[in-house]
């Protein structure tokens, strides 16, 4: 964890920082896969029935999508949606899209 995140965790709590990092990872995975498919944000938005701004906010890490939205994104991008709560000893929810 970087010094910034350590300091931020001391203020907001480690779980909050871990959640932000997880959301950032998911956002990056969505953006990377969309670009691999040469799909625009508008095309993805149209496929899942949300405004383009929603996709932009998700990819920028400014919005936390609902599970149903993540599922629709995974279908549109043809990638598995896996929620694995059994990852190691940390007992945190890990989501792979």
């Amino acid at each position: 964890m970087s010094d910034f995140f350590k300091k931020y965790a001391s203020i907001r709590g480690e779980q909050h920082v871990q959640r932000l990092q997880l959301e950032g990872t998911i956002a990056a995975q969505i953006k990377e896969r969309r670009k691999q498919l040469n799909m625009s944000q508008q095309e993805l938005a149209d496929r899942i029935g949300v405004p383009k701004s929603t996709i932009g906010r998700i990819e920028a890490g400014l919005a936390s999508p609902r599970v149903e939205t993540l599922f629709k994104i995974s279908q549109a991008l043809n990638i598995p949606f896996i929620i694995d709560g059994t990852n190691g000893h940390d007992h945190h929810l890990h989501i792979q899209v």
Side-chain angles (χ1 to χ4, degrees):
M1 191 181 301
S2 73
D3 287 340
F4 170 79
F5 284 121
K6 287 179 183 176
K7 289 177 184 176
Y8 191 61
S10 70
I11 297 167
R12 290 295 311 261
E14 192 170 321
Q15 286 184 335
H16 178 75
V17 170
Q18 288 174 345
R19 183 180 58 87
L20 290 175
Q21 289 174 319
L22 177 61
E23 289 174 359
T25 299
I26 292 168
Q29 290 174 353
I30 290 169
K31 184 175 184 175
E32 180 181 342
R33 178 63 176 159
R34 179 182 59 76
K35 287 186 172 195
Q36 286 174 350
L37 296 173
N38 294 317
M39 184 185 300
S40 69
Q41 288 183 344
Q42 185 64 59
E43 289 172 309
L44 178 56
D46 290 345
R47 287 186 184 195
I48 69 167
V50 299
K52 177 187 172 215
S53 60
T54 298
I55 301 301
R57 291 178 57 78
I58 290 169
E59 289 184 355
L62 300 173
S64 300
R66 294 178 173 195
V67 171
E68 64 194 60
T69 303
L70 283 173
F71 182 71
K72 288 178 183 179
I73 290 171
S74 74
Q75 288 180 316
L77 298 178
N78 195 28
I79 50 177
F81 180 70
I82 302 166
I83 300 175
D84 180 6
T86 62
N87 191 0
H89 295 84
D90 59 14
H91 303 291
H92 290 2
L93 180 65
H94 296 273
I95 301 175
Q96 173 188 338
V97 293

